[in-house]
Amino acid sequence: MDMPDGKTLNSGQVGCALSHFLLWNKMIGKGGIVIEDDVAILPHFWQKYDDLMEALPQNWDLVLLAWPELKGRRMSKKYMRPNPLGLNWGTYCYLVSPHFAEVMVEHFTLNVPLDQYLRDTFYYNDSYKVFISRKLFVWHTEMFGSDTHITSY
């Protein structure tokens, strides 16, 4: 698959994007949590989840639960709005609301890595309520042999 800059998506990037796309289809009307297979779940995952869910506004769309560098506008003690100055990418672990899964499926394209697609399409668009948890839920690790980790674009 060719990207706009002339580079080609590798098989790991294509597989990653398609597996997320299939999950989003199953989440339509239900929502859910996406956790990639190359992460370690940090202690107190469900306690942090409960605390975050109490703090989020009712109309949230997508919430990143892991990130390489936290940058954004603080909305509360529990979450932030992403801003373009941070490395607010990565699909390691995130929440999808029931209604937003359908939006993600409808807008899906496979011409850039998945994390770039999500960032460019949704994160900085004020039409969508995308947030970042201020606490990490998982830690991305190379220990499990991922071939989809993207270090630069």
Coordinates of all heavy atoms in Angstrom, one line a residue, residues 2 8 11 19-20 31 36 39 59 61 63 68 71 74 82 86 93-94 97 102 111 113 118-119 124 130 142 148-149:
D2 N 0.7 2.1 -1.0 CA 1.5 3.3 -1.1 C 0.9 4.4 -0.2 O -0.3 4.7 -0.2 CB 1.6 3.8 -2.5 CG 2.4 2.8 -3.3 OD1 3.3 2.2 -2.8 OD2 2.2 2.8 -4.6
T8 N 5.9 3.0 1.4 CA 4.9 1.9 1.4 C 4.7 1.4 2.8 O 5.6 1.3 3.5 CB 5.5 0.8 0.5 OG1 5.7 1.3 -0.8 CG2 4.5 -0.4 0.4
S11 N 3.9 -4.9 5.9 CA 2.8 -5.8 6.3 C 2.4 -5.7 7.7 O 1.2 -5.9 8.0 CB 3.3 -7.3 5.9 OG 4.4 -7.6 6.7
S19 N -6.6 -5.1 11.8 CA -7.1 -5.7 13.1 C -7.9 -4.7 13.9 O -8.9 -5.0 14.5 CB -6.0 -6.3 13.9 OG -5.1 -5.4 14.3
H20 N -7.4 -3.4 13.9 CA -8.1 -2.4 14.7 C -9.5 -2.1 14.0 O -10.5 -2.0 14.6 CB -7.3 -1.1 14.7 CG -6.2 -1.2 15.7 ND1 -6.2 -0.5 16.9 CD2 -5.0 -1.9 15.7 CE1 -5.1 -0.8 17.6 NE2 -4.4 -1.6 16.9
G31 N -19.0 0.0 22.0 CA -17.8 0.6 22.4 C -16.9 -0.5 23.0 O -17.2 -1.7 22.9
E36 N -3.3 -3.5 22.4 CA -2.5 -4.2 21.5 C -1.7 -5.3 22.2 O -1.6 -5.3 23.5 CB -1.5 -3.3 20.8 CG -2.2 -2.3 19.8 CD -1.3 -1.6 18.9 OE1 -0.1 -1.4 19.3 OE2 -1.8 -1.0 17.9
V39 N 2.1 -4.8 24.6 CA 2.1 -4.0 25.8 C 2.1 -4.8 27.1 O 1.6 -6.0 27.0 CB 0.9 -3.0 25.8 CG1 0.9 -2.0 24.6 CG2 -0.4 -3.7 26.0
N59 N -20.0 12.9 26.7 CA -20.0 12.8 25.2 C -18.6 12.5 24.7 O -18.3 12.9 23.5 CB -20.6 14.0 24.6 CG -19.8 15.3 25.0 OD1 -19.0 15.3 25.9 ND2 -20.0 16.4 24.3
D61 N -15.5 10.7 22.8 CA -15.5 9.8 21.6 C -14.4 8.8 21.7 O -14.6 7.6 21.5 CB -15.3 10.6 20.4 CG -16.5 11.5 20.0 OD1 -17.6 11.0 20.1 OD2 -16.3 12.7 19.7
V63 N -10.5 7.9 23.9 CA -9.6 8.3 25.0 C -8.3 7.4 24.9 O -8.4 6.2 24.9 CB -10.2 8.0 26.3 CG1 -9.3 8.5 27.4 CG2 -11.5 8.8 26.5
P68 N 3.5 8.0 24.0 CA 5.0 8.1 24.2 C 5.4 9.4 24.9 O 6.4 9.4 25.6 CB 5.5 8.1 22.8 CG 4.4 8.5 21.9 CD 3.1 8.1 22.6
K71 N 1.4 15.5 26.0 CA 1.3 16.9 25.7 C -0.2 17.2 25.4 O -0.8 16.5 24.6 CB 2.1 17.3 24.5 CG 3.6 17.2 24.7 CD 4.2 18.4 25.2 CE 5.7 18.2 25.2 NZ 6.5 19.3 25.6
R74 N -4.7 20.5 29.7 CA -5.3 19.9 30.8 C -6.8 20.3 31.0 O -7.1 21.4 31.0 CB -4.5 20.3 32.1 CG -5.0 19.6 33.3 CD -4.1 19.9 34.5 NE -4.7 19.4 35.7 CZ -4.1 19.4 36.8 NH1 -2.9 19.9 37.0 NH2 -4.7 18.9 37.9
P82 N -5.6 16.4 23.4 CA -4.3 16.4 22.7 C -4.0 17.7 22.0 O -4.9 18.3 21.5 CB -4.4 15.2 21.8 CG -5.8 15.0 21.6 CD -6.5 15.4 22.9
G86 N 2.7 17.6 21.0 CA 3.1 16.3 21.6 C 3.2 15.1 20.7 O 2.7 15.2 19.5
C93 N -3.2 1.4 23.4 CA -4.4 1.1 24.3 C -5.3 2.4 24.3 O -4.8 3.5 24.5 CB -3.9 0.8 25.7 SG -5.2 0.4 26.9
Y94 N -6.6 2.2 23.9 CA -7.5 3.3 23.9 C -8.9 2.8 24.0 O -9.2 1.7 23.8 CB -7.3 4.1 22.6 CG -7.5 3.3 21.3 CD1 -8.7 3.3 20.6 CD2 -6.4 2.7 20.7 CE1 -8.8 2.6 19.4 CE2 -6.5 2.0 19.5 CZ -7.8 2.0 18.9 OH -7.9 1.3 17.7
S97 N -15.9 5.0 22.2 CA -17.3 5.1 22.7 C -18.2 4.3 21.7 O -17.8 4.1 20.5 CB -17.8 6.5 22.8 OG -17.9 7.1 21.5
E102 N -18.5 3.6 15.0 CA -19.1 3.7 13.6 C -18.5 4.9 12.8 O -18.2 4.7 11.6 CB -20.6 3.9 13.7 CG -21.3 3.9 12.4 CD -22.8 3.8 12.5 OE1 -23.4 3.8 13.6 OE2 -23.4 3.8 11.4
N111 N -4.0 4.4 4.0 CA -2.9 5.0 3.2 C -1.8 5.6 4.0 O -0.8 6.2 3.5 CB -3.4 6.0 2.1 CG -4.1 7.2 2.8 OD1 -4.3 7.2 4.0 ND2 -4.5 8.2 2.0
P113 N 0.1 4.9 8.3 CA 0.1 4.1 9.5 C -1.2 4.5 10.3 O -1.6 5.7 10.4 CB 1.4 4.4 10.2 CG 2.3 4.8 9.1 CD 1.4 5.6 8.1
L118 N -5.3 8.2 12.8 CA -6.2 8.6 13.9 C -5.8 10.0 14.3 O -6.7 10.9 14.6 CB -6.0 7.6 15.1 CG -6.6 6.3 14.9 CD1 -6.2 5.4 16.1 CD2 -8.1 6.3 14.8
R119 N -4.5 10.3 14.4 CA -4.1 11.6 14.8 C -4.6 12.7 13.8 O -5.2 13.7 14.2 CB -2.5 11.6 14.9 CG -2.0 13.0 15.4 CD -0.5 13.1 15.2 NE -0.3 13.1 13.7 CZ 0.9 12.8 13.1 NH1 1.9 12.4 13.8 NH2 1.0 12.9 11.8
Y124 N -7.1 16.3 16.6 CA -7.1 17.8 16.6 C -8.3 18.5 16.0 O -8.3 19.6 15.7 CB -5.7 18.3 16.0 CG -4.5 17.6 16.6 CD1 -3.7 16.9 15.7 CD2 -4.3 17.5 17.9 CE1 -2.6 16.2 16.2 CE2 -3.2 16.8 18.4 CZ -2.4 16.2 17.6 OH -1.3 15.5 18.0
V130 N -11.8 13.9 21.7 CA -10.7 13.0 21.9 C -9.9 13.5 23.1 O -9.6 14.7 23.2 CB -9.8 12.9 20.7 CG1 -8.6 12.0 20.9 CG2 -10.6 12.4 19.5
E142 N 9.0 -3.7 23.5 CA 9.5 -4.4 22.3 C 9.7 -5.9 22.7 O 10.0 -6.7 21.9 CB 10.8 -3.8 21.8 CG 10.6 -2.4 21.3 CD 9.8 -2.3 20.1 OE1 9.9 -3.2 19.2 OE2 9.0 -1.4 20.0
T148 N 5.3 -3.5 14.2 CA 4.5 -2.4 13.8 C 4.9 -1.1 14.5 O 4.3 -0.1 14.3 CB 3.0 -2.6 14.0 OG1 2.8 -2.9 15.4 CG2 2.5 -3.8 13.2
H149 N 5.8 -1.1 15.5 CA 6.2 0.1 16.2 C 6.8 1.1 15.3 O 7.7 0.8 14.5 CB 7.2 -0.3 17.3 CG 7.6 0.9 18.1 ND1 6.7 1.5 19.0 CD2 8.7 1.6 18.2 CE1 7.3 2.6 19.6 NE2 8.5 2.6 19.1

